Coordinates of all heavy atoms in Angstrom, one line a residue:
K37 N -1.0 12.8 2.1 CA -1.7 11.7 1.4 C -1.4 11.6 0.0 O -1.0 12.6 -0.6 CB -3.2 11.9 1.6 CG -3.7 11.7 3.0 CD -4.0 10.2 3.3 CE -4.6 10.0 4.6 NZ -3.6 9.9 5.7
M38 N -1.5 10.5 -0.6 CA -1.2 10.3 -2.0 C -2.3 10.5 -3.0 O -2.1 10.5 -4.2 CB -0.7 8.8 -2.2 CG 0.7 8.6 -1.6 SD 1.2 6.9 -2.0 CE 0.7 6.0 -0.6
S39 N -3.5 10.8 -2.5 CA -4.6 10.9 -3.4 C -4.6 12.0 -4.4 O -5.0 11.9 -5.5 CB -6.0 10.8 -2.6 OG -5.9 11.7 -1.6
E40 N -4.1 13.2 -3.9 CA -4.0 14.3 -4.8 C -3.0 14.0 -6.0 O -1.9 13.5 -5.7 CB -3.5 15.6 -4.1 CG -4.2 16.0 -2.9 CD -3.5 15.4 -1.6 OE1 -2.3 15.5 -1.5 OE2 -4.3 14.9 -0.8
G41 N -3.5 14.3 -7.2 CA -2.6 14.2 -8.3 C -2.4 12.7 -8.7 O -1.6 12.5 -9.6
S42 N -3.1 11.8 -8.1 CA -2.8 10.4 -8.5 C -3.3 10.1 -10.0 O -2.8 9.2 -10.6 CB -3.5 9.4 -7.6 OG -4.9 9.7 -7.5
E43 N -4.2 10.9 -10.5 CA -4.6 10.8 -11.9 C -3.5 11.0 -12.8 O -3.2 10.4 -13.8 CB -5.8 11.7 -12.3 CG -7.0 11.7 -11.3 CD -6.7 12.6 -10.1 OE1 -6.1 13.7 -10.2 OE2 -7.1 12.1 -9.0
V44 N -2.7 12.1 -12.5 CA -1.6 12.5 -13.3 C -0.5 11.4 -13.1 O 0.2 11.1 -14.1 CB -1.1 13.9 -12.8 CG1 0.1 14.3 -13.7 CG2 -2.2 14.9 -12.8
M45 N -0.2 11.0 -11.9 CA 0.9 10.1 -11.6 C 0.8 8.8 -12.3 O 1.8 8.2 -12.7 CB 1.0 9.8 -10.1 CG 1.3 11.1 -9.4 SD 1.5 10.8 -7.6 CE 3.2 10.6 -7.4
T46 N -0.4 8.2 -12.6 CA -0.5 6.9 -13.2 C -0.2 7.0 -14.7 O 0.2 6.0 -15.2 CB -2.0 6.4 -13.0 OG1 -2.9 7.4 -13.4 CG2 -2.2 5.9 -11.6
K47 N -0.2 8.1 -15.3 CA 0.1 8.3 -16.7 C 1.6 7.9 -17.0 O 1.9 7.2 -17.9 CB -0.2 9.7 -17.2 CG -1.6 10.1 -17.0 CD -2.5 9.5 -18.0 CE -3.9 10.1 -17.9 NZ -4.7 9.6 -16.7
A48 N 2.5 8.5 -16.1 CA 3.9 8.3 -16.3 C 4.4 7.3 -15.3 O 3.8 7.0 -14.3 CB 4.6 9.6 -16.2
D49 N 5.6 6.8 -15.6 CA 6.2 5.8 -14.6 C 6.9 6.7 -13.5 O 8.0 7.1 -13.8 CB 7.1 4.9 -15.3 CG 7.5 3.7 -14.5 OD1 6.7 3.4 -13.5 OD2 8.5 3.1 -14.7
I50 N 6.2 6.9 -12.4 CA 6.8 7.7 -11.4 C 7.7 6.9 -10.5 O 7.4 5.9 -10.0 CB 5.7 8.3 -10.5 CG1 4.6 9.1 -11.4 CG2 6.2 9.2 -9.4 CD1 5.1 10.3 -12.0
K51 N 8.9 7.5 -10.3 CA 9.9 6.8 -9.4 C 10.0 7.7 -8.1 O 10.1 8.9 -8.2 CB 11.2 6.7 -10.1 CG 11.2 5.8 -11.3 CD 11.4 4.4 -10.9 CE 11.5 3.4 -12.0 NZ 10.2 3.0 -12.6
P52 N 10.2 7.0 -7.0 CA 10.3 7.8 -5.8 C 11.7 8.5 -5.7 O 12.7 8.0 -6.2 CB 10.2 6.8 -4.7 CG 10.4 5.4 -5.3 CD 10.1 5.6 -6.8
K53 N 11.7 9.7 -5.1 CA 13.0 10.4 -4.9 C 13.8 9.8 -3.8 O 15.1 9.8 -3.9 CB 12.7 11.9 -4.6 CG 12.0 12.7 -5.7 CD 11.9 14.1 -5.3 CE 11.1 14.9 -6.4 NZ 9.7 14.6 -6.4
S54 N 13.2 9.4 -2.8 CA 14.0 8.8 -1.7 C 13.1 7.8 -0.9 O 11.9 7.7 -1.1 CB 14.4 9.9 -0.7 OG 13.3 10.5 -0.1
V55 N 13.8 7.1 0.0 CA 13.1 6.1 0.8 C 13.6 6.0 2.2 O 14.8 6.3 2.3 CB 13.2 4.7 0.1 CG1 14.6 4.2 -0.1 CG2 12.4 3.6 0.8
H56 N 12.8 5.8 3.1 CA 13.3 5.6 4.5 C 12.4 4.5 5.1 O 11.3 4.2 4.6 CB 13.3 6.9 5.3 CG 12.0 7.5 5.5 ND1 11.5 8.4 4.6 CD2 11.1 7.4 6.5 CE1 10.3 8.8 5.0 NE2 10.0 8.2 6.1
R57 N 12.8 4.0 6.3 CA 12.0 3.0 7.0 C 11.1 3.6 8.0 O 11.5 4.6 8.6 CB 12.9 2.0 7.6 CG 13.8 1.3 6.6 CD 13.8 -0.2 6.9 NE 14.6 -0.9 5.8 CZ 14.1 -1.9 5.1 NH1 12.8 -2.3 5.3 NH2 14.8 -2.5 4.2
A58 N 9.9 3.1 8.1 CA 9.0 3.6 9.1 C 9.5 3.3 10.5 O 10.2 2.3 10.8 CB 7.7 2.9 9.0
K59 N 9.3 4.3 11.4 CA 9.8 4.1 12.8 C 8.6 3.9 13.8 O 8.7 3.2 14.8 CB 10.6 5.3 13.3 CG 11.9 5.4 12.6 CD 12.7 6.7 13.0 CE 14.0 6.8 12.2 NZ 13.8 6.9 10.8
T60 N 7.5 4.5 13.5 CA 6.3 4.3 14.3 C 5.1 3.9 13.4 O 5.0 4.3 12.3 CB 5.9 5.6 15.1 OG1 5.8 6.6 14.1 CG2 7.0 5.9 16.1
W61 N 4.2 3.2 14.0 CA 3.0 2.7 13.3 C 2.0 3.9 13.1 O 1.9 4.8 13.9 CB 2.3 1.6 14.0 CG 1.1 1.1 13.2 CD1 1.2 0.1 12.3 CD2 -0.2 1.5 13.3 NE1 -0.1 -0.1 11.8 CE2 -1.0 0.8 12.4 CE3 -0.9 2.5 14.0 CZ2 -2.3 0.9 12.2 CZ3 -2.3 2.7 13.8 CH2 -3.0 1.9 12.9
S62 N 1.5 4.0 11.9 CA 0.4 4.9 11.6 C -0.5 4.3 10.5 O -0.2 3.2 10.0 CB 1.0 6.2 11.0 OG 1.5 6.0 9.7
D63 N -1.6 5.0 10.2 CA -2.5 4.5 9.2 C -1.8 4.3 7.9 O -2.0 3.4 7.1 CB -3.7 5.4 9.0 CG -4.7 5.4 10.2 OD1 -4.4 4.6 11.2 OD2 -5.7 6.1 10.2
D64 N -1.0 5.3 7.6 CA -0.2 5.3 6.3 C 0.7 4.1 6.3 O 0.9 3.4 5.2 CB 0.5 6.6 6.1 CG -0.4 7.8 5.8 OD1 -1.5 7.5 5.3 OD2 0.0 8.9 6.0
V65 N 1.4 3.9 7.4 CA 2.4 2.8 7.5 C 1.6 1.4 7.3 O 2.1 0.5 6.6 CB 3.2 2.8 8.8 CG1 3.9 1.5 9.0 CG2 4.1 4.0 8.8
E66 N 0.5 1.4 7.9 CA -0.4 0.1 7.8 C -0.7 -0.2 6.3 O -0.5 -1.3 5.9 CB -1.7 0.3 8.6 CG -2.6 -0.8 8.5 CD -2.1 -2.1 9.1 OE1 -1.5 -2.1 10.2 OE2 -2.4 -3.2 8.5
N67 N -1.1 0.8 5.6 CA -1.4 0.6 4.2 C -0.2 0.3 3.3 O -0.3 -0.6 2.5 CB -2.2 1.8 3.6 CG -3.7 1.7 4.0 OD1 -4.2 0.6 4.2 ND2 -4.4 2.9 4.0
L68 N 0.9 1.0 3.6 CA 2.2 0.7 2.9 C 2.6 -0.8 3.2 O 3.0 -1.5 2.3 CB 3.3 1.6 3.4 CG 3.2 3.0 2.8 CD1 4.2 3.9 3.6 CD2 3.5 3.0 1.3
Y69 N 2.4 -1.2 4.4 CA 2.7 -2.6 4.8 C 1.9 -3.6 3.9 O 2.4 -4.6 3.4 CB 2.4 -2.8 6.3 CG 2.5 -4.2 6.8 CD1 3.7 -4.8 7.1 CD2 1.3 -5.0 7.0 CE1 3.8 -6.1 7.5 CE2 1.4 -6.3 7.5 CZ 2.7 -6.8 7.8 OH 2.8 -8.1 8.3
R70 N 0.6 -3.3 3.7 CA -0.3 -4.1 2.9 C 0.2 -4.1 1.4 O 0.2 -5.2 0.8 CB -1.7 -3.7 3.1 CG -2.2 -3.9 4.5 CD -3.6 -3.3 4.8 NE -3.9 -3.5 6.2 CZ -5.1 -3.7 6.7 NH1 -6.1 -3.8 5.9 NH2 -5.3 -3.9 8.0
F71 N 0.5 -3.0 0.9 CA 0.9 -2.9 -0.5 C 2.2 -3.7 -0.6 O 2.4 -4.4 -1.6 CB 1.2 -1.5 -1.0 CG -0.1 -0.8 -1.3 CD1 -0.6 0.2 -0.5 CD2 -0.9 -1.1 -2.4 CE1 -1.8 0.9 -0.8 CE2 -2.1 -0.5 -2.7 CZ -2.5 0.5 -1.9
Q72 N 3.1 -3.6 0.3 CA 4.5 -4.2 0.2 C 4.3 -5.7 0.4 O 5.1 -6.5 -0.2 CB 5.4 -3.6 1.2 CG 5.8 -2.2 0.6 CD 6.6 -1.3 1.6 OE1 7.2 -1.8 2.6 NE2 6.5 0.0 1.4
Q73 N 3.4 -6.2 1.2 CA 3.2 -7.6 1.3 C 2.7 -8.2 0.0 O 3.0 -9.3 -0.3 CB 2.1 -7.9 2.4 CG 2.6 -7.8 3.8 CD 2.0 -8.9 4.6 OE1 0.8 -9.0 4.7 NE2 2.8 -9.7 5.2
A74 N 1.9 -7.4 -0.8 CA 1.4 -7.9 -2.0 C 2.4 -7.7 -3.2 O 2.1 -8.1 -4.3 CB 0.1 -7.2 -2.4
G75 N 3.6 -7.1 -2.9 CA 4.6 -7.0 -3.8 C 4.7 -5.7 -4.6 O 5.3 -5.6 -5.6
Y76 N 4.2 -4.6 -4.0 CA 4.2 -3.3 -4.6 C 4.9 -2.4 -3.6 O 4.9 -2.6 -2.4 CB 2.8 -2.8 -4.9 CG 2.1 -3.7 -5.8 CD1 1.2 -4.7 -5.3 CD2 2.3 -3.6 -7.2 CE1 0.6 -5.5 -6.2 CE2 1.6 -4.5 -8.1 CZ 0.8 -5.4 -7.6 OH 0.1 -6.3 -8.4
R77 N 5.5 -1.3 -4.2 CA 6.1 -0.2 -3.3 C 5.0 0.4 -2.5 O 5.1 0.6 -1.2 CB 6.7 0.9 -4.1 CG 8.1 0.7 -4.5 CD 8.7 2.0 -5.0 NE 7.9 2.7 -6.0 CZ 8.0 2.8 -7.3 NH1 9.0 2.1 -7.8 NH2 7.2 3.5 -8.0
D78 N 3.9 0.9 -3.2 CA 2.9 1.6 -2.5 C 1.7 1.8 -3.4 O 1.7 1.1 -4.5 CB 3.4 3.0 -2.1 CG 4.1 3.7 -3.3 OD1 3.8 3.4 -4.5 OD2 4.9 4.6 -3.1
E79 N 0.8 2.6 -3.1 CA -0.5 2.8 -3.8 C -0.2 3.3 -5.3 O -0.8 2.9 -6.2 CB -1.4 3.8 -3.1 CG -2.8 3.9 -3.8 CD -3.7 4.8 -3.0 OE1 -3.4 5.1 -1.8 OE2 -4.7 5.2 -3.5
V80 N 0.8 4.2 -5.4 CA 1.2 4.7 -6.7 C 1.6 3.6 -7.6 O 1.1 3.5 -8.8 CB 2.3 5.8 -6.5 CG1 2.7 6.3 -7.9 CG2 1.8 6.9 -5.7
E81 N 2.5 2.8 -7.2 CA 2.9 1.7 -8.1 C 1.8 0.7 -8.4 O 1.7 0.2 -9.5 CB 4.1 0.9 -7.4 CG 4.7 -0.1 -8.4 CD 5.8 -0.9 -7.8 OE1 5.7 -1.4 -6.7 OE2 6.8 -1.2 -8.6
Y82 N 1.0 0.4 -7.4 CA -0.1 -0.5 -7.6 C -1.0 0.0 -8.7 O -1.4 -0.8 -9.6 CB -0.9 -0.7 -6.3 CG -2.0 -1.7 -6.4 CD1 -1.8 -3.1 -6.3 CD2 -3.3 -1.3 -6.5 CE1 -2.8 -4.0 -6.4 CE2 -4.4 -2.2 -6.6 CZ -4.1 -3.5 -6.5 OH -5.1 -4.4 -6.6
K83 N -1.4 1.2 -8.6 CA -2.3 1.8 -9.6 C -1.6 1.8 -11.0 O -2.3 1.6 -12.0 CB -2.7 3.2 -9.2 CG -3.7 3.2 -8.0 CD -4.0 4.6 -7.6 CE -5.1 4.6 -6.5 NZ -5.4 6.0 -6.1
Q84 N -0.3 2.0 -11.1 CA 0.4 2.0 -12.3 C 0.3 0.6 -12.9 O 0.0 0.4 -14.1 CB 1.8 2.4 -12.2 CG 2.1 3.9 -12.1 CD 3.5 4.2 -11.7 OE1 3.8 5.3 -11.3 NE2 4.5 3.3 -11.9
V85 N 0.7 -0.4 -12.1 CA 0.8 -1.8 -12.6 C -0.6 -2.3 -12.9 O -0.8 -2.9 -14.0 CB 1.5 -2.7 -11.6 CG1 1.4 -4.1 -12.0 CG2 2.9 -2.2 -11.4
K86 N -1.6 -2.1 -12.1 CA -2.9 -2.8 -12.2 C -3.8 -1.9 -13.1 O -4.9 -2.3 -13.4 CB -3.5 -3.1 -10.9 CG -2.8 -4.3 -10.2 CD -3.0 -5.5 -11.0 CE -2.2 -6.7 -10.6 NZ -2.1 -7.8 -11.6
Q87 N -3.4 -0.6 -13.4 CA -4.3 0.3 -14.1 C -5.6 0.4 -13.5 O -6.7 0.3 -14.2 CB -4.4 -0.3 -15.6 CG -3.1 -0.3 -16.3 CD -2.5 1.0 -16.7 OE1 -3.1 1.8 -17.3 NE2 -1.3 1.3 -16.2
V88 N -5.7 0.7 -12.2 CA -6.9 0.9 -11.5 C -6.9 2.3 -11.0 O -5.8 2.9 -10.7 CB -7.2 -0.1 -10.4 CG1 -7.4 -1.5 -10.9 CG2 -6.0 -0.1 -9.4
D89 N -8.1 2.9 -10.8 CA -8.2 4.3 -10.2 C -8.4 4.2 -8.7 O -7.9 5.1 -8.0 CB -9.4 5.0 -10.8 CG -9.2 5.2 -12.3 OD1 -8.0 5.4 -12.8 OD2 -10.2 5.2 -13.1
E90 N -9.0 3.2 -8.2 CA -9.3 3.1 -6.8 C -8.8 1.8 -6.2 O -8.9 0.7 -6.9 CB -10.8 3.2 -6.6 CG -11.4 4.6 -6.7 CD -10.6 5.6 -5.8 OE1 -10.4 5.3 -4.6 OE2 -10.1 6.6 -6.3
V91 N -8.4 1.8 -5.0 CA -8.0 0.7 -4.2 C -9.2 0.4 -3.2 O -9.7 1.3 -2.6 CB -6.7 0.9 -3.5 CG1 -6.4 -0.3 -2.6 CG2 -5.6 1.2 -4.5
E92 N -9.6 -0.9 -3.1 CA -10.7 -1.2 -2.2 C -10.3 -1.1 -0.8 O -9.3 -1.7 -0.3 CB -11.2 -2.6 -2.5 CG -12.7 -2.7 -2.3 CD -13.2 -4.1 -2.8 OE1 -12.9 -4.5 -3.9 OE2 -13.8 -4.8 -2.0
C93 N -11.0 -0.2 0.0 CA -10.6 0.0 1.4 C -11.8 -0.3 2.3 O -12.9 -0.2 1.9 CB -10.1 1.5 1.6 SG -8.6 1.8 0.8
W94 N -11.5 -0.5 3.6 CA -12.5 -0.7 4.6 C -13.1 0.7 4.9 O -12.3 1.6 5.3 CB -11.9 -1.3 5.9 CG -11.6 -2.7 5.7 CD1 -10.3 -3.2 5.6 CD2 -12.5 -3.9 5.7 NE1 -10.4 -4.6 5.5 CE2 -11.7 -5.0 5.5 CE3 -13.8 -4.0 5.8 CZ2 -12.2 -6.3 5.5 CZ3 -14.4 -5.2 5.7 CH2 -13.6 -6.4 5.6
P95 N -14.4 0.9 4.9 CA -14.9 2.2 5.2 C -14.7 2.6 6.6 O -14.5 3.8 6.9 CB -16.4 2.1 4.9 CG -16.7 0.6 4.7 CD -15.4 -0.1 4.4
E96 N -14.7 1.7 7.5 CA -14.5 2.1 9.0 C -13.1 2.6 9.3 O -13.0 3.5 10.0 CB -14.8 0.9 9.9 CG -16.1 0.1 9.7 CD -16.0 -1.0 8.6 OE1 -15.0 -1.0 7.9 OE2 -16.9 -1.8 8.6
T97 N -12.1 1.9 8.7 CA -10.7 2.3 9.1 C -10.0 3.0 8.0 O -9.0 3.6 8.2 CB -10.0 1.0 9.5 OG1 -10.0 0.1 8.4 CG2 -10.6 0.3 10.7
G98 N -10.4 2.8 6.7 CA -9.6 3.4 5.6 C -8.5 2.5 5.2 O -7.7 2.9 4.3
F99 N -8.3 1.3 5.9 CA -7.2 0.5 5.5 C -7.5 -0.3 4.2 O -8.7 -0.5 3.9 CB -6.9 -0.6 6.6 CG -6.5 0.0 7.9 CD1 -6.7 -0.6 9.1 CD2 -5.7 1.2 7.9 CE1 -6.3 -0.1 10.3 CE2 -5.3 1.8 9.1 CZ -5.6 1.1 10.3
V100 N -6.5 -0.7 3.5 CA -6.7 -1.4 2.3 C -7.4 -2.8 2.6 O -7.0 -3.5 3.5 CB -5.3 -1.7 1.6 CG1 -5.5 -2.6 0.4 CG2 -4.7 -0.4 1.2
K101 N -8.4 -3.1 1.8 CA -9.2 -4.3 2.0 C -8.7 -5.5 1.2 O -8.5 -6.6 1.7 CB -10.6 -4.0 1.6 CG -11.6 -5.1 2.0 CD -13.0 -4.5 1.6 CE -14.1 -5.5 2.1 NZ -15.4 -4.9 1.8
K102 N -8.4 -5.2 -0.1 CA -7.9 -6.3 -0.9 C -7.0 -5.8 -2.0 O -7.2 -4.7 -2.5 CB -9.1 -7.2 -1.5 CG -9.6 -6.8 -2.8 CD -10.7 -7.7 -3.3 CE -11.1 -7.3 -4.7 NZ -12.3 -7.8 -5.2
L103 N -6.0 -6.6 -2.3 CA -5.1 -6.2 -3.4 C -4.8 -7.4 -4.3 O -4.9 -8.5 -3.9 CB -3.7 -5.8 -2.8 CG -3.7 -4.5 -2.0 CD1 -2.3 -4.4 -1.3 CD2 -4.0 -3.3 -2.8
Q104 N -4.6 -7.1 -5.6 CA -4.3 -8.1 -6.5 C -2.8 -8.2 -6.8 O -2.2 -7.1 -7.1 CB -5.0 -7.9 -7.8 CG -5.0 -9.0 -8.8 CD -5.8 -8.8 -10.0 OE1 -6.3 -7.7 -10.3 NE2 -6.1 -9.8 -10.8
R105 N -2.2 -9.3 -6.6 CA -0.7 -9.4 -6.8 C -0.4 -9.5 -8.3 O -1.3 -9.6 -9.1 CB -0.2 -10.7 -6.1 CG -0.2 -10.6 -4.6 CD 0.4 -11.8 -3.9 NE 1.0 -12.8 -4.8 CZ 1.5 -13.9 -4.4 NH1 1.5 -14.2 -3.1 NH2 2.0 -14.8 -5.3
R106 N 0.9 -9.4 -8.6 CA 1.3 -9.4 -10.0 C 0.9 -10.7 -10.7 O 0.7 -10.8 -11.9 CB 2.8 -9.2 -10.1 CG 3.1 -7.7 -9.7 CD 4.6 -7.6 -9.6 NE 5.0 -6.4 -8.9 CZ 5.2 -5.2 -9.5 NH1 5.2 -5.1 -10.7 NH2 5.5 -4.1 -8.7
D107 N 0.8 -11.8 -9.9 CA 0.4 -13.1 -10.5 C -1.1 -13.3 -10.5 O -1.6 -14.4 -10.7 CB 1.1 -14.2 -9.8 CG 0.8 -14.3 -8.3 OD1 -0.1 -13.6 -7.9 OD2 1.4 -15.2 -7.6
N108 N -1.8 -12.2 -10.2 CA -3.3 -12.1 -10.2 C -4.0 -12.9 -9.1 O -5.2 -13.0 -9.1 CB -3.8 -12.6 -11.6 CG -3.5 -11.6 -12.6 OD1 -3.3 -10.4 -12.4 ND2 -3.4 -12.0 -13.9
T109 N -3.2 -13.3 -8.1 CA -3.9 -13.9 -6.9 C -4.3 -12.7 -6.0 O -3.6 -11.6 -6.1 CB -3.0 -14.9 -6.1 OG1 -1.8 -14.2 -5.8 CG2 -2.8 -16.1 -6.9
F110 N -5.3 -12.9 -5.2 CA -5.7 -11.7 -4.3 C -5.3 -11.9 -2.9 O -5.2 -13.0 -2.4 CB -7.3 -11.6 -4.4 CG -7.8 -11.0 -5.6 CD1 -8.1 -11.8 -6.7 CD2 -7.9 -9.6 -5.7 CE1 -8.6 -11.2 -7.9 CE2 -8.3 -9.0 -6.9 CZ -8.7 -9.8 -8.0
Y111 N -4.9 -10.8 -2.3 CA -4.7 -10.7 -0.8 C -5.9 -10.0 -0.2 O -6.3 -9.0 -0.7 CB -3.4 -9.9 -0.6 CG -2.1 -10.7 -0.6 CD1 -2.0 -12.0 -1.0 CD2 -1.0 -10.1 -0.1 CE1 -0.8 -12.7 -1.0 CE2 0.3 -10.7 -0.1 CZ 0.3 -12.0 -0.6 OH 1.5 -12.7 -0.6
Y112 N -6.4 -10.6 0.8 CA -7.5 -10.0 1.6 C -7.0 -9.6 3.0 O -6.3 -10.4 3.6 CB -8.7 -10.9 1.7 CG -9.3 -11.3 0.3 CD1 -8.9 -12.3 -0.4 CD2 -10.3 -10.4 -0.2 CE1 -9.4 -12.6 -1.7 CE2 -10.8 -10.7 -1.4 CZ -10.4 -11.8 -2.2 OH -10.9 -12.0 -3.4
Y113 N -7.4 -8.4 3.4 CA -6.9 -7.9 4.7 C -8.0 -7.6 5.6 O -9.1 -7.3 5.2 CB -6.1 -6.6 4.5 CG -4.8 -6.8 3.6 CD1 -4.8 -6.5 2.3 CD2 -3.7 -7.4 4.2 CE1 -3.7 -6.7 1.5 CE2 -2.5 -7.6 3.4 CZ -2.6 -7.2 2.0 OH -1.5 -7.4 1.3
N114 N -7.7 -7.7 6.9 CA -8.7 -7.4 8.0 C -8.9 -5.9 8.1 O -8.1 -5.1 7.6 CB -8.2 -7.9 9.3 CG -8.0 -9.4 9.4 OD1 -8.8 -10.1 8.8 ND2 -7.0 -9.9 10.1
R115 N -10.0 -5.6 8.7 CA -10.3 -4.2 8.9 C -9.5 -3.6 10.1 O -9.2 -2.4 10.1 CB -11.8 -3.9 9.1 CG -12.4 -4.5 10.3 CD -13.8 -4.0 10.5 NE -14.7 -4.1 9.4 CZ -15.4 -5.2 9.1 NH1 -15.3 -6.3 9.9 NH2 -16.3 -5.2 8.1
Q116 N -8.9 -4.5 10.9 CA -8.1 -4.0 12.0 C -6.6 -4.0 11.5 O -6.3 -4.5 10.5 CB -8.2 -4.9 13.2 CG -9.5 -5.1 13.8 CD -10.2 -6.3 13.2 OE1 -9.8 -6.9 12.2 NE2 -11.3 -6.7 13.8
R117 N -5.8 -3.4 12.4 CA -4.4 -3.3 12.1 C -3.8 -4.7 12.0 O -4.1 -5.6 12.7 CB -3.7 -2.6 13.3 CG -2.2 -2.6 13.3 CD -1.7 -1.9 14.5 NE -0.3 -2.0 14.6 CZ 0.5 -1.4 15.4 NH1 0.0 -0.6 16.4 NH2 1.8 -1.6 15.4
E118 N -2.9 -4.8 10.9 CA -2.2 -6.1 10.7 C -0.7 -6.0 10.9 O 0.0 -7.0 11.2 CB -2.5 -6.6 9.3 CG -3.9 -7.2 9.2 CD -4.1 -8.0 7.9 OE1 -3.1 -8.4 7.3 OE2 -5.3 -8.2 7.6
C119 N -0.2 -4.8 10.7 CA 1.2 -4.6 10.8 C 1.6 -4.5 12.3 O 1.3 -3.5 12.9 CB 1.6 -3.3 10.1 SG 3.4 -2.9 10.2
E120 N 2.3 -5.5 12.8 CA 2.6 -5.5 14.2 C 3.9 -4.6 14.5 O 4.6 -4.3 13.5 CB 3.0 -6.9 14.7 CG 1.8 -7.8 14.6 CD 2.1 -9.2 15.0 OE1 2.9 -9.4 15.9 OE2 1.6 -10.2 14.4
D121 N 4.1 -4.2 15.7 CA 5.2 -3.3 16.1 C 6.5 -3.8 15.5 O 7.3 -3.1 15.1 CB 5.2 -3.1 17.6 CG 4.2 -2.1 18.0 OD1 3.7 -1.3 17.2 OD2 3.8 -2.2 19.2
K122 N 6.7 -5.1 15.6 CA 8.0 -5.7 15.2 C 8.2 -5.6 13.7 O 9.3 -5.7 13.2 CB 8.1 -7.2 15.7 CG 7.1 -8.1 15.0 CD 7.4 -9.5 15.5 CE 6.3 -10.5 15.1 NZ 6.1 -10.6 13.6
D123 N 7.1 -5.4 12.9 CA 7.2 -5.3 11.5 C 7.2 -3.9 11.0 O 7.5 -3.7 9.8 CB 6.0 -6.0 10.8 CG 6.0 -7.5 11.1 OD1 7.1 -8.1 11.1 OD2 4.9 -8.1 11.3
V124 N 7.0 -2.9 11.9 CA 6.9 -1.5 11.4 C 8.2 -1.1 10.7 O 8.2 -0.5 9.7 CB 6.6 -0.6 12.6 CG1 6.8 0.9 12.3 CG2 5.1 -0.8 13.1
R125 N 9.3 -1.5 11.3 CA 10.6 -1.0 10.7 C 10.9 -1.7 9.4 O 11.8 -1.3 8.7 CB 11.8 -1.2 11.7 CG 11.9 -2.6 12.2 CD 13.0 -2.8 13.3 NE 13.1 -4.2 13.7 CZ 13.7 -5.1 12.9 NH1 14.3 -4.7 11.8 NH2 13.8 -6.3 13.3
K126 N 10.2 -2.7 9.0 CA 10.4 -3.4 7.7 C 9.7 -2.6 6.6 O 10.0 -2.8 5.4 CB 9.8 -4.8 7.7 CG 10.5 -5.8 8.7 CD 9.8 -7.1 8.6 CE 10.3 -8.1 9.7 NZ 9.5 -9.2 9.8
V127 N 8.8 -1.7 7.0 CA 8.0 -1.0 6.0 C 8.8 0.1 5.4 O 9.4 0.9 6.1 CB 6.7 -0.4 6.6 CG1 5.9 0.4 5.6 CG2 5.8 -1.6 7.1
K128 N 8.9 0.2 4.1 CA 9.6 1.3 3.4 C 8.6 2.4 3.1 O 7.6 2.2 2.5 CB 10.3 0.8 2.1 CG 11.4 -0.2 2.4 CD 11.9 -0.8 1.2 CE 13.0 -1.8 1.4 NZ 13.4 -2.5 0.2
V129 N 9.0 3.6 3.4 CA 8.2 4.8 3.1 C 8.9 5.6 2.0 O 10.0 6.0 2.1 CB 8.1 5.7 4.4 CG1 7.2 6.9 4.0 CG2 7.5 4.9 5.5
Y130 N 8.2 5.6 0.8 CA 8.7 6.3 -0.3 C 8.3 7.7 -0.4 O 7.1 8.1 -0.1 CB 8.3 5.5 -1.6 CG 8.9 4.2 -1.7 CD1 8.2 3.1 -1.1 CD2 10.1 4.0 -2.2 CE1 8.8 1.8 -1.2 CE2 10.7 2.7 -2.3 CZ 10.0 1.6 -1.7 OH 10.6 0.4 -1.8
V131 N 9.2 8.6 -0.8 CA 9.0 10.0 -0.9 C 9.0 10.4 -2.4 O 10.0 10.1 -3.1 CB 10.0 10.8 -0.1 CG1 9.7 12.3 -0.2 CG2 10.0 10.4 1.3
Y132 N 8.0 11.1 -2.9 CA 7.9 11.5 -4.3 C 8.2 13.0 -4.5 O 8.0 13.7 -3.6 CB 6.6 11.1 -4.9 CG 6.4 9.6 -5.0 CD1 5.8 8.9 -4.0 CD2 6.8 8.9 -6.1 CE1 5.7 7.5 -4.0 CE2 6.7 7.6 -6.2 CZ 6.1 6.9 -5.2 OH 5.9 5.5 -5.3

């Protein structure tokens, strides 16, 4: 999970060491899909750009609930899975 050390990570501009594409759906892939739809790599980049400590999530599922794009419009997401099987391989998984 990305939550450990995220306080430290937002201070500097952290770049991923490597990237690969998701092969199977998971909770993490679902959230990455949501960040990438809104125009960010992942939670780390979102927090850096938007200077926020927390991302709003659905308490039931832990999925991202809403994100602010770079042009300040908001994306709102359902509490259920949104990333369909055909879209899983489009999701990029970044390794730090």
